[in-house]
Amino acid sequence: MSSKKQAELVRIALQMAAEAGLRVWSITTDGTAVNISTFRELGCDFTTSFDSMVTKFNHPTENYYVYVILDPCHMLKLARNALGSLKSLVDEDDNLIQWNFFQSLDKMQESEGFTLGNRLSKQHIQFQKHKMNVRLAAQTPSVMLLVCLLCYKNNPYIHESN
């Protein structure tokens, strides 16, 4: 379905809900391209800059905003899948985020027989078999795991012994 047609259906649904006495405060959706385009048609702007994002649009028949929420669980899976597939991403400060750090940390923990206080496992690294598992997607970039990755990346002793 095209984003224009989907946006029209959203408008009709919101109008029908209002006629029935219902007030729709928000719409939660996954981050597919057609959904992003649909909400762009309605007045939202999901740009790469947080400050310029517009995540609400005017209700078609009532005098209030309807907020759009991109499902956090789905967005975590998309981010993890993108990093795992593309092998590297660049953050807003031009820092390189590399998938091989996750792989190297997993390999080092496996060879040493212990974990550094994180839950990184083969399931996280071989995520293709578990693409829909939200728990694994959420644990992959956890704060503790990122601290371990930074320690691993910046420790010359570890790199000399491997």
Side-chain angles (χ1 to χ4, degrees):
M1 177 181 305
S2 74
S3 59
K4 288 184 188 292
K5 186 67 171 173
Q6 191 166 297
E8 187 55 34
L9 290 174
V10 169
R11 287 185 191 100
I12 292 168
L14 288 170
Q15 181 179 351
M16 290 175 71
E19 289 170 3
L22 300 173
R23 186 174 182 134
V24 177
W25 292 97
S26 67
I27 298 172
T28 302
T29 184
D30 60 19
T32 61
V34 71
N35 288 343
I36 299 296
S37 295
T38 295
F39 293 115
R40 192 174 294 121
E41 290 281 334
L42 293 167
C44 295
D45 187 10
F46 292 98
T47 62
T48 56
S49 169
F50 180 76
D51 294 331
S52 61
M53 264 191 215
V54 178
T55 60
K56 63 184 179 183
F57 62 92
N58 290 315
H59 189 285
T61 59
E62 303 296 315
N63 188 25
Y64 69 88
Y65 291 115
V66 176
Y67 293 85
V68 175
I69 301 168
L70 298 179
D71 177 47
C73 295
H74 189 261
M75 301 311 288
L76 272 171
K77 290 186 288 186
L78 287 175
R80 187 269 324 270
N81 295 350
L83 179 58
S85 298
L86 298 172
K87 304 301 181 207
S88 66
L89 298 173
V90 178
D91 72 10
E92 64 186 17
D93 298 322
D94 290 327
N95 296 310
L96 193 61
I97 303 165
Q98 295 180 299
W99 184 251
N100 71 334
F101 287 130
F102 292 88
Q103 293 171 311
S104 296
L105 179 60
D106 177 60
K107 185 178 177 181
M108 187 268 304
Q109 288 184 155
E110 188 177 305
S111 70
E112 296 297 325
F114 65 89
T115 62
L116 298 172
N118 60 63
R119 296 175 184 226
L120 187 66
S121 70
K122 284 288 178 225
Q123 286 184 321
H124 295 91
I125 302 303
Q126 298 167 354
F127 68 91
Q128 295 83 356
K129 298 175 185 174
H130 313 283
K131 279 187 176 182
M132 299 306 290
N133 189 315
V134 175
R135 179 184 54 82
L136 291 176
Q139 288 173 346
T140 302
S142 71
V143 173
M144 190 59 181
L145 179 57
L146 294 177
V147 168
C148 291
L149 286 169
L150 287 173
C151 291
Y152 178 80
K153 177 183 173 191
N154 296 322
N155 188 330
Y157 172 75
I158 291 173
H159 293 288
E160 287 173 13
S161 65
N162 282 341

